[in-house]
Amino acid sequence: MSGKASTSKPNIGLSGSDGLSHAYIQYPPLRCNVPGSGELFYDDGNKLVLSSTSDQVFSWKVCPFDPLIDPTADSISEGPIIAIRYSLDTKVIAIQRSNLEIQFWDRETGGTFSHKCRPESESIIGFFWTDSQQCDIVLVKTSGLDLYAYNSESNSLQLVQAKKLNVSWYVYTHESRLVLLASGMQCKTFHGFQISSADIVRLPRFEMVMAKSEANSKPVLAAEDVFIVTVYGRIYCLQVDRVAMLLHSYRLYRDAVIQQGSLPIYSNRIAVSVVDNVLLIHQVDAKVVILYDLFADSRAPISAPLPLLLRGFPRSSTSSQSNGRESESSDSNVLSSHEAVTYSNTWTFLVPDLVCDVANKLLWKFNLDLEAISASSSEVPSVLEFLQRRRLEANKSTRAVTTVPVAKQLCLGITRTLILEHRPVPVVAKAVNVLVTSYSHSIKTGNYLKGLKPEKTSTSVQNTGAEVSAIETDVIGKSVIHESMKRVDSGSVNKASTVSSLDSEDDSWSANPKHNSKAAHSAYVEQSSLQSGQEESQLTSAAISPDEMYSFVFSPVDEEMVGDPSYLVAIIIEFLHSANSEKIRVLPNVYVLIIQLLARHERYAELGLFVLNKILEPSKEVALQLLESGRQNAQARKLGLDMLRQLGLHHDYVLLLVQDGYYLEALRYARKYRVDTIRPSLFLEAAFVSNDSQHLAAVLRFFADFLPGFKNTSDHNRYCRILNEMNSPITRE
């Protein structure tokens, strides 16, 4: 990473959240400035930013992003540095010294050796480490790819395989495990290889589209015009066409590369980032960013072009002070005005969501303002679907861990607002159905896990059919999956064990049921799809459970709403209908709330119909609430008692009969169903309160006959004495 000093003036949006934008970078940045250091390098395989001095290399771990992290240092020898990359196990440092030589350092032993290529026929363009079982490191040369195994014992590289091709330049991301090699006069002919843990897959050769200029000259494609991005587990190649002012999109499959359409651009310099599967197209010259969600069928942007904000930037340099570890550095963490320029010409964009100011040696992380995005659209179901697809919690403060994802909070707030504003029931029903469907899908795919730290998964190339079930996808042919994914069988991949989706059109991120239906898939041609696993520091789910719907939507709305409960009851019924369609169990608290709403306004006839028609799922909690409401209505109490009996809750049923004074009926029921968990004293006390000596005698006789050892208890002696006292006046007469 290198660049010229910035000459731009600060643009709008530096004062915090005063401006309008859907994307931002958060102050403070990660400072990568070491006295005496040269340019910065990025090791995307290990997510490290590297800076070297004459005899040391300093590294900062940038995933998870922490602007206050301390660097680690390794000693190296002096010499020119073109590129630095650590091995994936971080035991070896590889430094490209020239276009002919790469030097290797063993960090444990301190051993070193150099690998050189033939100067007369080829030169090294670059290199990268892999997690392939066949090789450890790949050298990209003008003559093609050389795949080597690293031998630490002999301090040498052993050639495993060579791919002979003419190469002008290349693009590679560790996230996709994909390398694209450019060749030809215009550098628009590409060969692709995916080098993952289980196999090496060669993609078909393809050519990128380039419009001709008015002078009929043939433009040459540059490396900075091609981007490999991974969204929703799919790998795309994006290509800038400056003549046509378009950004062409290509979907990469095992046996085909298919153009997916084009997006308009408004700047000669374009950069691409991916934040939580949202595509950020940076129009660098125009200093704006456009957001796209490629999951949706439409290629329309999420929003209009808006500036990138710098949030948390102090309004005056005197208001910010260095603290803790920052004070140990000679540099203050307070930015000067020229350091706070967004879209400076010294910005270098890093995969997938970072940008480095190489002149000031600052590293920033892009974030989405989900609240601003959701507020910019009036299509509530679409907004909820978008929010439900968000899984990574944007860390606005890397020191604080939020317990509830922002996307989930927004979904709950939007739904509450719809109900409180008394929007039409069908409108609210659609919104609720989006949330229920998304929750159901997340449960089936195993994504409803908060704070899950997944195993690192490499990309996978899969042959997938058109028929995909909600939980498991049949895979035809070979699959390339990371070796750590032990739960993958030979013929199918359980989506719950992977982060990436398996089919070109079916995704575990879906919040729309149409993407899960077999009918929707049958229209697509069966193709083999090149997929990507994703390495995330922490996954969170925006899916909302039925219990959360009760706690954060229905219950708060009930407290705020006044008047006729019919509207809220209708909304809850729509929620129950959606849950039933998805076969999701709803906890009793939702049904209890319906009973409370109807009983509060004496709608006992409707309540009876709800019970008889099984709209209210029978449970102990529902039965007890019916009994509670039955204090003002005998029919409701009878419904509660009947429900207890139907559920086989004999103990509770007998206890309630005793409390209602029907202790003899309770005794007969207890004998029939062998209920022996209720203390005899309760029956005896109820008979005594009735002041009927015959009933008391009958109860005593019952326990004496059917409860062994009862005659020796204090209860027997006490109530026999009471019975004698009750009968004594009759005896004297």
Side-chain angles (χ1 to χ4, degrees), residues 378-385 388 411-412 414-419 423-439 511 544 549 553-554 571 574-575 578:
S378 59
E379 295 293 329
V380 175
S382 298
V383 170
L384 291 176
E385 287 176 358
Q388 286 293 295
C411 287
L412 293 168
I414 290 171
T415 309
R416 279 196 306 269
T417 301
L418 287 176
I419 301 174
R423 297 288 184 91
V425 172
V427 173
V428 183
K430 286 182 180 180
V432 169
N433 187 64
V434 168
L435 301 181
V436 173
T437 304
S438 176
Y439 173 75
I544 297 172
M549 284 291 292
V553 177
F554 299 139
I571 298 300
E574 291 293 340
F575 165 72
S578 296

Side-chain angles (χ1 to χ4, degrees), residues 263-283:
L263 305 173
I265 58 176
Y266 309 97
S267 171
N268 284 325
R269 186 186 173 196
I270 296 295
V272 176
S273 301
V274 176
V275 179
D276 197 4
N277 290 291
V278 175
L279 192 65
L280 278 63
I281 308 299
H282 304 277
Q283 319 285 331

Side-chain angles (χ1 to χ4, degrees), residues 99-159:
N99 60 357
L100 299 175
E101 178 187 4
I102 295 180
Q103 197 170 18
F104 295 87
W105 268 269
D106 189 313
R107 298 179 68 194
E108 295 179 350
T109 66
T112 179
F113 71 93
S114 294
H115 177 85
K116 298 181 180 180
C117 66
R118 297 168 305 204
E120 68 279 0
S121 60
E122 58 188 8
S123 61
I124 301 173
I125 304 175
F127 70 96
F128 53 89
W129 296 88
T130 79
D131 55 4
S132 171
Q133 296 180 1
Q134 302 182 35
C135 63
D136 298 310
I137 190 169
V138 177
L139 272 58
V140 184
K141 302 179 180 180
T142 53
S143 59
L145 292 182
D146 284 354
L147 284 65
Y148 290 95
Y150 177 83
N151 192 323
S152 58
E153 296 180 358
S154 62
N155 282 337
S156 64
L157 297 183
Q158 297 175 351
L159 182 64

